[in-house]
Amino acid sequence: MAKGLFDCTGKVTLVTGGNGGIGLGFAKGIAKQGGDIAIWARNLEKNAAAKAELLEAGAGRVETYVVDVSSEDAILAGYEKFIADFGRIDCVFANSGASPRYDSVFDMPTDHWFEFQKTALHGAFFTLREAARHMKSRAEAGEPGGSLVACGSGSLYQGLAGKMEYAGSKCAVAGVIRSLAVEMGQYGVRANVVAPGLIITPMMGAADGPAAQYLEKTYGPQTPAKRVGYPEDFEGIGAYLCSDSSSFLTGQTIYIDGGYQIRP
């Protein structure tokens, strides 16, 4: 029997890039609802810290793995180990990505464009595809259901000068998600995008540091919510999309941006 509306007890979620920032925020929401979590990320020290934090938050079980999602072979091997350990997958958040580095399309080297997509686009696709494969098999064995989630961004509705590699990957992954929603619905599997606005993460330094404070003061007033976002703003959507409460939500893009998309 479910303990609450967003109960995640007995559900297993894989979060790529889940040892910090938005990924960890998403995972923490699931942990608070009793779910089991697997983290794929490359920093052992951060993985250990994330595991401790998630267990303290209430996760039933947490395991971390060093997986480079820019490699299809690494993703396949990662799933083999993950499924051997947990036996199932109920939700996946394809969150791993990279930061754009250029300010103009004319400055972007060709090799950077292709290298960027290995993680941001191809890695997300292979991660989602393999999760879908396991969910389909389980549905055919008599247990339908599952949640496929990808990390989008405000670039789905806003152009970003010089950030074509980033925006292009996000738009492509959103198309993948919509296609998965259509194909996987017959198995009780839903697929959605979570699209962050401006989020202050550890990559920007401390929340009270100069970079974060500059962004808060510059962009916060432009947002209807009158602030920027933080990783903890993704806890609720993580729990919702993992839980059965989201069983009729599919093919959607959910903007966690404080209303920036509809600002006057």
Side-chain angles (χ1 to χ4, degrees):
M1 181 177 294
K3 297 178 181 178
L5 186 61
F6 299 150
D7 182 51
C8 297
T9 304
K11 295 188 181 298
V12 179
T13 297
L14 168 64
V15 182
T16 69
N19 64 5
I22 292 169
L24 182 57
F26 188 96
K28 197 167 182 179
I30 296 167
K32 288 182 177 181
Q33 297 300 316
D36 297 339
I37 299 164
I39 298 295
W40 282 3
R42 295 182 292 177
N43 186 303
L44 286 170
E45 185 176 347
K46 288 179 65 178
N47 284 359
K51 179 175 181 177
E53 185 173 340
L54 292 170
L55 287 171
E56 184 178 0
R61 178 184 179 186
V62 180
E63 302 294 342
T64 66
Y65 307 85
V66 176
V67 178
D68 180 0
V69 298
S70 69
S71 163
E72 181 183 6
D73 289 341
I75 289 170
L76 295 177
Y79 267 107
E80 184 176 359
K81 174 62 175 170
F82 162 66
I83 294 297
D85 287 346
F86 284 91
R88 62 186 293 120
I89 181 169
D90 297 282
C91 178
V92 61
F93 183 33
N95 168 69
S96 289
S99 299
R101 300 202 325 237
Y102 299 93
D103 295 321
S104 171
V105 64
F106 305 112
D107 297 332
M108 189 182 302
T110 301
D111 59 352
H112 170 74
W113 169 271
F114 286 109
E115 187 66 26
F116 192 94
Q117 306 310 327
K118 287 182 180 180
T119 297
L121 174 55
H122 307 319
F125 170 70
F126 296 135
T127 298
L128 293 164
R129 183 191 68 186
E130 293 308 304
R133 195 187 305 277
H134 286 283
M135 293 173 183
K136 176 178 179 291
S137 295
R138 196 175 71 220
E140 291 173 339
E143 188 184 354
S147 179
L148 303 168
V149 187
C151 187
S153 87
S155 64
L156 295 176
Y157 61 79
Q158 181 182 29
L160 300 173
K163 317 300 182 188
M164 290 76 181
E165 82 282 51
Y166 177 81
S169 70
K170 295 300 186 182
C171 290
V173 170
V176 169
I177 283 289
R178 288 191 291 270
S179 297
L180 283 168
V182 172
E183 183 169 353
M184 295 299 294
Q186 63 188 307
Y187 306 111
V189 176
R190 65 266 192 200
N192 295 284
V193 175
V194 171
L198 178 58
I199 310 300
I200 303 299
T201 70
M203 291 178 62
M204 301 174 185
D208 58 355
Q213 288 300 301
Y214 169 78
L215 292 170
E216 176 76 64
K217 292 176 181 178
T218 303
Y219 293 98
Q222 301 179 35
T223 303
K226 301 306 178 188
R227 69 174 179 88
V228 295
Y230 296 90
E232 53 264 33
D233 290 314
F234 292 83
E235 293 181 10
I237 197 66
Y240 173 63
L241 291 178
C242 176
S243 75
D244 292 338
S245 293
S246 61
S247 62
F248 199 54
L249 181 79
T250 195
Q252 301 302 307
T253 297
I254 305 163
Y255 293 105
I256 310 294
D257 67 352
Y260 192 82
Q261 182 187 14
I262 53 85
R263 69 194 187 285

